[in-house]
Amino acid sequence: MTHPFLDLAPLTATHFAAIEKRVAGLLATEQDVVIMQGEALLPLEGCIRGAARPGTTALNVVTGPYGQTFGNWLRDCGAEVVDLAVPFHTAVTAEQVAAALAEHPAIDFVSLVHAEAATGNTNPVAGIGEVVRAHGALFMLDAVASVGAEPLLPDAWGVDLCVIGAQKAMGGPAGVSAVSVSARAWERIAANPQAPRHSYLSLLDWKQRWIDGGRKALLHAPAQLEMLALEACVERIEAEGLEAVMARHSAAAAATRAGAVALGGGLTPFVHEARDAAPVATTLRVPDGMDASALVARALLAEPSLPLIAGGGALSGEMVRVNHYGVDATRGAVLASLAALGSALAGAGRQVDLEAARKAVGETWPSA
């Protein structure tokens, strides 16, 4: 029996390298790009365990749950960690980062999440990169949620380790990811005796056996379906045009925010200022006395495939998240999500204005 997912011809090293080159083009980077055969937590942990060790002083910017995870990994590596935490309803500023660097001159590593889909905020990486570069620290960026949704220029912004995943704005698979690595990041990792070697977490293995070997022999059997899906989603972005893809995500975010405010029913934007809101997801605070998980469950009764989810962890009771990324960064998905939330709120006895919400979406994102 034949099947389109089975009995495929082997993915050659040449094909793998060609996909790598297209990902580098998406990032507009001249740095080495390593495609990792796993979800983005793999290169994120690999970057930290490769670059951090006892004697490292790290500034870990916490604007959401992933920043908290990075701090734990850094401490586990023996690094001294300075956490710069800001409320999850806002974004960090370059001035706050500069002040932390001035207060702790020994900092030689900075970790930051670009867009926090879990909390709906996004951080001004260009300005932050400038102050980090002036300080001389190595700069690691989690751009998993931002790639494809907003500008991402690791070379221009001085990012030494830029990790991306395909499963959000790129509209691709979750099981493959990539990281761009600067020359000085390679030097830092190579000089670290604690950096993973001969390990699935090892960036050095890819550097020494794949990149330095002329990209002729892969380290292990590639995740073929995920690699082909990654290639396909990059092709789709190229066909639509990266600027158009980013504009679509920006429009989805603006329309969702405006529509939710007009809908009423007690929903309010979780991220206070629109300038701090991520283009991949709009987070909304539910009214006092209402459980967000229960509201989302009611909203999904009629259409379970809508991109609605309750907040994670401690936020599960108070936050609703509209995930307008990838194929859901459309006017139709935004309208359907708001209509479902409106119906659920009305069913809970809240007064909503569905027509006002539709009008706000139409004014913010006119139909073609």
Side-chain angles (χ1 to χ4, degrees):
M1 185 179 99
T2 61
H3 192 285
F5 294 163
L6 301 175
D7 307 319
L8 299 170
L11 188 74
T12 65
T14 299
H15 194 174
F16 192 102
I19 299 172
E20 213 171 52
K21 185 175 181 179
R22 293 180 86 161
V23 172
L26 180 68
L27 297 177
T29 182
E30 298 297 324
Q31 300 175 359
D32 289 326
V33 169
V34 177
I35 296 180
M36 303 290 280
Q37 304 294 281
E39 200 271 339
L41 283 174
L42 174 65
L44 286 167
E45 184 173 357
C47 287
I48 287 177
R49 296 199 181 277
R53 60 175 174 173
T56 297
T57 302
L59 176 65
N60 180 49
V61 182
V62 182
T63 59
Y66 282 104
Q68 294 170 329
T69 298
F70 298 163
N72 293 336
W73 285 338
L74 286 161
R75 291 180 179 90
D76 192 51
C77 291
E80 179 182 343
V81 181
V82 177
D83 284 322
L84 172 55
V86 301
F88 289 178
H89 64 254
T90 187
V92 73
T93 66
E95 291 75 18
Q96 288 172 310
V97 173
L101 293 171
E103 185 178 352
H104 304 276
I107 289 171
D108 58 4
F109 183 91
V110 175
S111 54
L112 173 72
V113 178
H114 190 179
E116 288 267 13
T119 49
N121 57 38
T122 192
N123 294 301
V125 180
I128 292 169
E130 187 175 343
V131 300
V132 173
R133 186 166 54 246
H135 185 81
L138 204 73
F139 187 17
M140 186 194 90
L141 183 69
D142 172 352
V144 174
S146 60
V147 60
E150 56 186 301
L152 176 61
L153 300 168
D155 291 11
W157 296 346
V159 179
D160 295 289
L161 295 160
C162 182
V163 175
I164 66 167
Q167 70 267 33
K168 288 191 167 63
M170 290 179 67
V176 66
S177 49
V179 53
S180 65
V181 188
S182 71
R184 69 192 201 118
W186 282 131
E187 291 174 4
R188 173 80 71 92
I189 296 169
N192 180 6
Q194 289 192 179
R197 290 166 169 82
H198 310 295
S199 163
Y200 207 61
L201 282 172
S202 177
L203 293 175
L204 277 179
D205 288 357
W206 285 96
K207 167 67 170 168
Q208 295 168 354
R209 296 168 56 191
W210 170 245
I211 296 172
D212 293 348
R215 294 180 170 85
K216 295 178 180 177
L218 291 163
L219 274 63
H220 43 69
Q224 182 156 334
L225 290 175
E226 286 78 5
M227 288 296 296
L228 294 175
L230 173 62
E231 182 180 41
C233 78
V234 174
E235 286 178 350
R236 187 164 62 182
I237 291 170
E238 291 171 349
E240 183 177 353
L242 180 58
E243 292 297 326
V245 175
M246 291 191 294
R248 181 162 51 83
H249 282 82
S250 178
T256 304
R257 188 179 183 94
V261 170
L263 179 66
L267 290 180
T268 56
F270 184 83
V271 177
H272 292 184
E273 300 293 334
R275 66 174 181 271
D276 296 333
V280 290
T282 296
T283 47
L284 303 167
R285 191 180 297 279
V286 300
D288 290 341
M290 181 174 289
D291 180 74
S293 295
L295 179 68
V296 169
R298 284 197 296 270
L300 293 176
L301 284 175
E303 184 50 72
S305 64
L306 288 174
L308 297 172
I309 189 172
L315 297 173
S316 63
E318 62 183 277
M319 177 199 286
V320 171
R321 192 168 110 196
V322 184
N323 290 327
H324 40 69
Y325 55 69
V327 296
D328 289 318
T330 65
R331 193 171 181 272
V334 168
L335 286 168
S337 297
L338 291 172
L341 286 173
S343 178
L345 286 164
R350 295 282 174 168
Q351 185 172 356
V352 297
D353 192 335
L354 290 172
E355 183 55 36
R358 284 193 288 267
K359 182 179 179 182
V361 170
E363 292 174 347
T364 307
W365 193 356
S367 58

